[in-house]
Amino acid sequence: MARKPAPKPAATGTKPVGKLPDRDVKTIGKLVGLSDMVAKRSMSGKDPLIQIPLRTKSNTNWNKKKGILEMGDATADRPLFDLKTAKQFMQTMLHASTIKDLIEEGKTSSLRGVFYKAKHTVAGTKENTFDTQDESDPILEDLEVSLGALREELHIFAENRGTLVGNITLVDKGDEINARRMGSGGWGIPSIVEPDVIRFGKCEAKFVLHVEKGTVWNRFNEDRFWEKHNCILTHGAGQPPRGCRRLLQRLNQELKLPIICVLDCDPWGHYIYSVIKQGSISLAFESSRLAIPEAKFLGIRAKDYDECDLGDAVKIDLTENDIKRANEIAAYPWFAENRHWRKEIELLLKNGFKMEVEAMINKGISYVTEEYVPERLKAKDWLE
Amino acid sequence: MSTTLTPDAPGVSETTRKPMSKSKPAPRATAESMASKQRDISVSEFFAKNRHLLGFDNPRKALLTTVKEAVDNSLDACEEAGILPDITIVIEDLQPDRPASAKSSRYRVTVVDNGPGIVRKQVENVFGRLLFGSKFHRLKMSRGQQGIGISAAGMYGLITTGKPMVIHTKPKASQQAHHIELAMNTKTNRAEVTVDDETDDFPPRRFRSLTPGTRELAASSQFLADTDYPTGTSVSIDLEGKYQKGRGSVDEFLELTAIANPHARITFVPPTRESAADEDDVPLLRKNKDRELAEDDTSPPAEAAPPTPAVTTETGGVILFPRAVSDLPPETKEIQPHPRGIELGILLQMMKEAQSERDTYTLYNFLQDKFSRVSSASASSFCQAIGATARTKIADLDHAQSEKLFKALQDSKLPPPPTDCLAPIGVRQLLAGMLKGVRAEFYAASSREPDVYRGRPFQIEAAIAFGGELAGDEPARVIRFANRVPLLYQQSACSSFKAVTETNWRNYDLQHPRGGVPIGPLVIMIHMASVWVPFTSESKEAIADYDEIRKEMKLALQECGRKLGTYLKKRAKMRREGERRDVFQKYIGEIAKACNAISGVDAEELYAALLEQAKRKTAVADLELDEDGKAIKDKGADDADEEGVIILESAASRTGVDAHDSDAPPVGKLSRAEAAALKVHAMRGDDEPTLIDVKQPDRLTQKGTSSKARASKSPSKSPVPAAAPKPAADASAKAPSKPKMVLVNGKLVPKDQSPGLF
């Protein structure tokens, strides 16, 4: 048979791990455990399989007491000898090997970097181990949950996404960042914001205003909203990434700053709020690190069309998809159990249209920064 | 084309007419004037005007029907006399110089057989009268039924060319043959003999030098050899016809006939050229490959005692359908009608006939004598049922009683009619025929138990061939036979075709558009054997649609379909498992490497362990590969469910698996194909306990046992001893190795050598 794996006679696998930090030694131990389990099962004639905690809604529990989503105990078997999972099994092992290399060399890599490192043609075929990064990213999440290791423990980071500006000083890997002097661009929130990377310095801000995306953030920054109202201004470029959410949580927990969100009035805006507040289904295992149960939803509210006397121009008809999504969200227990949110979604559906934050510009360029948000803040008119 | 008699037809005899009544200046017609025109119509006249009823609608079909009638008669005659049929068909083009655009031409069809011959005084009756024959008045399975065929062909020839039929017949090997030329008088339904003498020229010698091919074959005594035709009959008919290959052609008819009659040796000399096509015809079944093959085949079979290989060959344009089995079909018995299913009119007629036989015929005796399956006990219970006694005479029955009797007969619970009147082809022969003519990978056949329609026993057999070289996305081909005669026209009117469309082929993993035939690489064969096949018309092209018949047909098809479905599922599973193993094997190398990198586990060892598991998980793929050949052989012996199935190696079923299995050498293929042939042999005798003694054992001896040694070795091209010396182990099996298919380099050869059907 022409094909044969050509691994060099073993034993070169492990390098001395002596001077690695304890956290890394622990992670490597987990990786070796995974490999040993596969090898042991194979040699004893048992089905090699990896157990991966399920990241689905059915395995997500709503912890009402803590106000966050938590991952359940259900796991999915990923056997090698099953057509549906054979390739994923191989990919999981490849990534495990890649990560071990990263840790041993003391480097970190982006998701995309890991994808490229593990991507090659399968020996003897024309097939790639990974075709796209979309295949690779979920495998890394699988590894996180099955190893019970956080992404930074695996030495992987995502692209920077999300921006911050405001009355605070931060220390990023030893460099002092004065968030009051960020010009028009703001400070990009890194994907890893753990205390060993980011420390908080002097902070005068009294709260954090989180907006949905960059364009809105620009409006608020240009109008120096954070200066006038003594706050921190952030955005998460839509659904906020882990780095952004973790930073918000730390600001909330360590500096006791309230988090106030200004998001679109549509099911997607509602869900962004839900993720910030309770955590997401796919990252339920990290909720305790990410969720901010105290976060508040300031607007845009379904009632605003009437209350603020907005013009017809702000209306965007709900699509079928929107309606479907709204009903799904309404059924999530953490919404369904909240009388105010039930009403909010009912009104949205009754209105039959959605509204974007930008649409407020229809009332005046700085209407949202100078009238809408300040008034609501003053009145404490928000949803929780 | 003129339908009147041409001048050189023999004189028309006067028919008596009623004197004309006195003419009156009267209304259009009176009873008398009409009466003057009312007269007998001779059957011949009727059919001369309605020749389409007999299958002479157009020149092409006329040519086919003529050949068909003559061949049917020859086969019937041979079998009745217990002679293994040897039939030669020659079609001569009498207008070879006609313009290329001519749509039809004049042909001379000659059919020579080695049958028992015809005694001199019956020749005129057999060939010169419609509705004369031995077959109409009996319930016995035969190809011909009414006694119309050959006389009608002669009549058609006479009408279109004015030439009489030429007959040579030799009933006694030691005596000269009769040479008779006769023309039919349609008015009187009698033959007029124009030539009547004795001759030594049988079989007619002039054919031997007709074409290069016939000369070549005649030189090796393979063509119309005197020794092959000690007795027999030769009929020549000149007719206006059209020779064109394709569907519904003489070629197709003979090929199908050869499939359904593996015991017959058929030689066909086609005319030198085809008629101009006037429509897009179905492409030739045997394709033009034949021609090339004929040229390739430079070594004609050896001279002395040529052992005919059982594959169709072509020599210089002459097509030889060899004898594949040397057992005649079992002799069938004549039977009496069965009471159930008989009609009132027929019952009354039978009673009348019995009465005229003997005035004192009692009902009790009548029932026992004239019906099958009526015991003395049941006869007396019938008598009782209509209030008669055992001594009541038929003559004394009134009409009401007759009707009562009729009803009692219908309601009776009698055993079904005897079935020794039927000679089914048999599962083994069906498979042999299909194997010879159809290049597929899967064959299944089934033979139903006899059943009854209208009091007449019949038996249905079906066979299917699937895959291989058959075209994949076309509707399945249905080939139909009645009493071993292929039916080429009116497919959609045929009960068998309806049975095919009504069978749910989707159950067997085939595509099947509603109301149509299934789509796929499939040939479906249906055969009905009966003492009286109910055709829809005298041209015998379609079987009438009786519920009982269609039901049996569907059951037979379902039986075959189930076997196919099982095979397809198994094949799909094998393929899936093969693909699965591919996938697993692809990845385990990567996994072993990754594990090695992580924990330093021995990659080679891990790879070996994983490969072991992968093989075990996909064992089905292996299992079939390694054991199928053997399995087939075993099944033939003890697995009743798989009876009637042959599976040949197919490329499709091995793809993807082969590559990894270096242990499976081409020998596997060889033994598999051989196994199929062996199975055909092995089944011999199981389904045909009574076989008539063979007349010419020297030509083809067939021994059921063929050594296994041969199966694994000797991929010899043909059993001609000189051509391919065989291993010593084979010496004992010189004659027996009558291969259904020949092996060359481990491949099945019917494909390369025989111009098969498809």
Side-chain angles (χ1 to χ4, degrees), chain B residues 49 85 146 172 184 194 224 249 354 448 457 460 473 528 578 723 728:
Chain B
K49 283 192 173 162
Q146 295 104 324
K172 286 216 165 64
M184 174 189 281
T194 51
L224 286 179
S249 65
R448 297 283 307 162
I460 298 296
D473 32 9
M528 172 174 180

Side-chain angles (χ1 to χ4, degrees), chain B residues 507-707:
Chain B
N507 288 348
Y508 316 123
D509 285 6
L510 289 170
Q511 278 184 57
H512 186 198
R514 196 166 291 278
V517 292
I519 309 279
L522 188 66
V523 175
I524 303 169
M525 171 184 177
I526 297 188
H527 176 237
M528 172 174 180
S530 178
V531 294
W532 187 265
V533 178
F535 289 110
T536 55
S537 76
E538 285 71 16
S539 55
K540 300 196 277 190
E541 288 160 345
I543 299 170
D545 194 18
Y546 284 96
D547 285 347
E548 298 92 332
I549 296 174
R550 186 147 38 100
K551 184 182 136 223
E552 279 295 309
M553 287 174 168
K554 278 164 74 176
L555 288 171
L557 289 172
Q558 282 163 7
E559 231 172 83
C560 291
R562 272 194 296 277
K563 291 170 184 167
L564 176 64
T566 309
Y567 169 70
L568 287 180
K569 285 194 177 78
K570 207 156 79 180
R571 194 178 74 163
K573 179 147 196 220
M574 275 169 67
R575 193 180 291 159
R576 269 201 313 277
E577 291 298 305
E579 284 166 4
R580 276 184 65 194
R581 177 178 299 180
D582 273 1
V583 170
F584 298 154
Q585 284 194 333
K586 226 166 27 193
Y587 298 143
I588 56 183
E590 295 288 338
I591 291 165
K593 261 190 275 183
C595 284
N596 170 260
I598 296 170
S599 61
V601 64
D602 187 329
E604 300 258 5
E605 200 183 321
L606 179 57
Y607 180 83
L610 287 173
L611 188 64
E612 178 58 35
Q613 279 209 39
K615 281 198 172 164
R616 217 176 54 224
K617 300 272 175 196
T618 55
V620 176
D622 257 353
L623 189 90
E624 303 294 332
L625 276 180
D626 297 348
E627 293 174 6
D628 211 14
K630 200 173 20 166
I632 281 174
K633 265 181 272 172
D634 294 346
K635 276 174 194 159
D638 47 40
D639 191 346
D641 280 352
E642 291 302 317
E643 190 68 51
V645 172
I646 290 181
I647 300 168
L648 294 186
E649 185 52 49
S650 79
S653 64
R654 312 194 109 214
T655 43
V657 186
D658 236 357
H660 311 299
D661 239 271
S662 48
D663 319 326
V667 176
K669 294 189 177 186
L670 183 122
S671 66
R672 189 189 266 251
E674 283 264 348
L678 281 177
K679 177 166 185 196
V680 175
H681 286 270
M683 290 164 68
R684 169 184 152 61
D686 296 347
D687 50 342
E688 273 177 46
T690 50
L691 292 169
I692 284 178
D693 225 16
V694 172
K695 272 249 164 129
Q696 294 151 298
D698 54 321
R699 171 164 294 155
L700 256 185
T701 347
Q702 185 189 22
K703 299 208 175 98
T705 53
S706 192
S707 68

Side-chain angles (χ1 to χ4, degrees), chain B residues 3 25 90 190 225 275 289 314 379 469 642 644 679 696 726:
Chain B
T3 52
V90 183
R190 286 284 185 283
S275 303
K289 226 194 247 173
E314 186 171 325
E469 294 179 25
E642 291 302 317
K679 177 166 185 196
Q696 294 151 298
K726 290 181 182 176

Side-chain angles (χ1 to χ4, degrees), chain A residues 56-72:
Chain A
T56 59
K57 176 159 180 287
S58 61
N59 193 36
T60 305
N61 302 322
W62 164 232
N63 187 328
K64 205 172 168 185
K65 209 169 131 203
K66 290 190 200 164
I68 60 171
L69 297 177
E70 289 175 337
M71 188 161 67

Side-chain angles (χ1 to χ4, degrees), chain B residues 738-755:
Chain B
K738 176 214 62 88
K740 285 280 162 351
M741 46 222 157
V742 193
L743 299 169
V744 172
N745 301 331
K747 266 191 158 181
L748 255 187
V749 180
K751 157 185 183 174
D752 299 337
Q753 278 223 317
S754 74

